[in-house]
């Protein structure tokens, strides 16, 4: 395959990949070597063709003058626009192994240190133990990074809210200022899609705020889902948001919304929102089939998978949901509006629950990581078998 003036060769020696445990390696991670080049026969699988095409779309012409589009720099590889990909993530992407993207705002802004650092490590371990490769995404000193070393995770966790909360609109600014940015759902999706990661796990997504038809306060997560083909695994949206209007907005954006093992779209701390999920699947394989069909059709829109909080955690999180409803009533009584709503609610919920919301939040992201890893593995297996 020619990109610019260079021919790109990929030698896919699957048995040399060292990250996944050999004893737990999924079937999609076993296979033969394959040499891919334009004008040559593609070989035993379309997986390599799919991966090469995805990566090549995002390689900058300047970098493609090198024989290998991945330019080594220590344990990192530099690709389009100076994006750095950790070596194990790069290898997994080249070989078609399952990779799970993880956001970094949940580390810097979602919880205090050291719980944020410990949670980040535990979530990555869950992904690895499931048989996939974790790729936490952040911008460090102006460099977009796909996959962080433990020391980088710790630095980001310690920075906390000093790191810039970075959505799609902030990416160029953070890079230009050579600053450190923690990526939100929208920015994480952007970078994940840019390097060919198809599955992304988070806690919950943003949505249409209450009275959003007046304030126009709509999260960029929703518009990103409408234009970026990544499968986002989450626990739904918090009930402080307008869930019916959020689902309507997602429909307008052409986003496939899925209830995982449920007919009702989940509302983060509770499995019940009162809103029907447009689509239901019961297995990771069903989710993978939808993900691959979305890729094959070139729909260029995302998929949102709502995973209900497990029953034993839902009971523990019930006081959190009660606190949310209490704070919403206080908002009306105090006539709090606009940008002041979310900070007020989050602060009141934390006060009313004595910190229980943090424990429930951690449980959610861990459960989503397990489900998301299964979907990533099933997707990789389906692509390999196609």
């Amino acid at each position: 395959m020619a990109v610019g003036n260079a021919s790109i060769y990929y030698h896919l020696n699957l048995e040399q990949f060292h990250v996944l445990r050999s004893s737990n390696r999924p079937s999609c991670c076993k296979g033969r070597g394959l040499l891919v080049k334009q004008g040559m026969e593609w070989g035993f699988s379309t997986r390599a063709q799919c991966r090469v095409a995805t990566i090549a779309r995002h390689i900058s012409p300047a970098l493609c003058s090198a024989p290998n589009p991945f330019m080594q720099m220590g344990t990192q590889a530099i690709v389009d626009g100076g994006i750095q990909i950790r070596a194990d993530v790069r290898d997994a992407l080249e070989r078609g192994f399952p990779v799970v993207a993880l956001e970094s705002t949940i580390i810097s802004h979602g919880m205090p240190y050291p719980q944020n650092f410990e949670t980040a490590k535990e979530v990555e371990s869950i992904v690895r133990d499931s048989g996939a490769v974790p790729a936490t995404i952040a911008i460090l000193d102006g460099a977009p990074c796909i996959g962080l070393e433990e020391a980088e995770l710790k630095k980001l966790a310690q920075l906390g809210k000093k790191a810039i909360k970075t959505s799609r609109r902030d990416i160029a600014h953070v890079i230009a200022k050579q600053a450190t940015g923690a990526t939100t759902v929208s920015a994480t999706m952007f970078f994940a899609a840019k390097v060919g990661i198809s599955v992304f796990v988070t806690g919950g997504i943003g949505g249409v705020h209450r009275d959003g038809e007046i304030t126009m306060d709509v999260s960029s997560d929703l518009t990103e889902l409408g234009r970026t083909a990544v499968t986002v695994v989450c626990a739904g949206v918090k009930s402080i948001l307008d869930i019916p209007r959020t689902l309507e907005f997602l429909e307008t954006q052409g986003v496939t919304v899925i209830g995982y093992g449920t007919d009702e779209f989940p509302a983060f701390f509770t499995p019940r929102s009162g809103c029907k999920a447009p689509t239901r699947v019961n297995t990771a394989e069903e989710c993978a089939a939808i993900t691959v069909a979305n890729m094959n059709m070139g729909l260029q829109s995302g998929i949102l998978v709502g995973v209900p909080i497990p029953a034993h955690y839902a009971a523990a999180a019930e006081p959190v949901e009660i606190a949310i409803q209490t704070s919403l009533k206080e908002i009306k009584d105090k006539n709090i509006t606009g940008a002041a709503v979310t900070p007020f609610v989050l602060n009141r919920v934390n006060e009313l629950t004595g910190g229980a919301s943090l424990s429930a939040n951690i449980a959610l992201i861990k459960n989503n990581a397990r489900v998301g890893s299964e979907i990533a593995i099933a997707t990789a297996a389906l692509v390999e078998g196609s």
Side-chain angles (χ1 to χ4, degrees), residues 35-312:
L35 186 66
V36 179
K37 182 180 180 295
Q38 184 184 28
M40 297 180 64
E41 187 173 337
W42 282 105
F44 69 89
S45 171
T46 60
R47 178 191 61 199
Q49 182 178 7
C50 177
R51 289 291 174 182
V52 169
T54 299
I55 294 172
R57 281 200 308 272
H58 305 296
I59 299 296
S60 73
L63 291 176
C64 284
S65 60
N68 189 332
F70 295 100
M71 299 169 64
Q72 293 297 323
M73 182 177 182
T75 59
Q76 303 282 344
I78 299 180
V79 293
D80 185 18
I83 296 175
Q84 297 184 1
I85 306 180
R86 197 178 62 206
D88 60 334
V89 176
R90 179 205 65 215
D91 290 345
L93 290 171
E94 286 184 352
R95 294 165 169 81
F97 287 4
V99 178
V100 174
L102 302 168
E103 67 160 290
S104 48
T105 294
I106 198 170
I107 301 172
S108 62
H109 291 68
M111 55 191 74
Y113 183 83
Q115 289 99 325
N116 55 358
F117 178 49
E118 295 303 322
T119 300
K121 290 192 297 180
E122 289 167 5
V123 169
E124 288 205 347
S125 293
I126 288 170
V127 174
R128 287 192 186 94
D129 290 344
S130 298
V133 178
T136 300
I137 295 176
I139 301 175
L140 304 180
D141 299 322
C145 297
I146 315 297
L148 304 184
E149 304 293 345
E150 185 171 316
E152 293 170 329
L153 280 175
K154 186 174 184 179
K155 177 183 177 181
L156 191 62
Q158 290 174 327
L159 275 175
K161 294 181 181 179
K162 291 180 181 178
I164 299 172
K165 188 175 181 179
T166 306
S167 64
R168 173 188 267 260
R169 72 166 187 183
D170 307 303
I171 291 172
H173 167 73
V174 174
I175 292 173
K177 293 294 185 180
Q178 296 185 342
T180 292
T183 55
T184 64
V185 169
S186 64
T188 304
M189 286 183 69
F190 170 80
F191 285 119
K194 201 160 183 63
V195 299
I197 300 175
S198 60
V199 178
F200 161 40
V201 165
T202 186
I205 65 162
V208 178
H209 284 251
R210 293 175 186 242
D211 299 320
E213 71 277 14
I214 300 172
T215 64
M216 297 301 291
D217 192 351
V218 179
S219 171
S220 64
D221 297 351
L222 305 188
T223 50
E224 196 66 38
L225 276 160
R227 61 183 171 189
T228 304
V230 171
T231 295
V232 179
V233 181
C234 71
V237 299
K238 293 186 181 73
S239 56
I240 63 173
L241 300 171
D242 189 327
I243 297 177
R245 281 193 171 92
T246 296
L247 292 173
E248 289 287 350
F249 193 96
L250 287 168
E251 179 185 1
T252 301
Q253 293 292 308
V255 178
T256 301
V257 178
I258 298 171
Y260 192 85
T262 180
D263 293 315
E264 194 167 346
F265 189 72
F268 202 73
F269 290 122
T270 173
R272 298 173 298 277
S273 67
C275 299
K276 181 177 174 59
T279 305
R280 172 177 177 152
V281 303
N282 295 313
T283 66
E285 288 73 21
E286 290 178 84
C287 246
I290 295 173
T291 296
V292 173
N294 191 62
M295 293 177 184
N296 290 342
M297 290 296 100
L299 290 174
Q300 298 182 341
S301 55
I303 298 169
L304 183 64
V305 182
V307 182
I309 182 173
H312 54 292

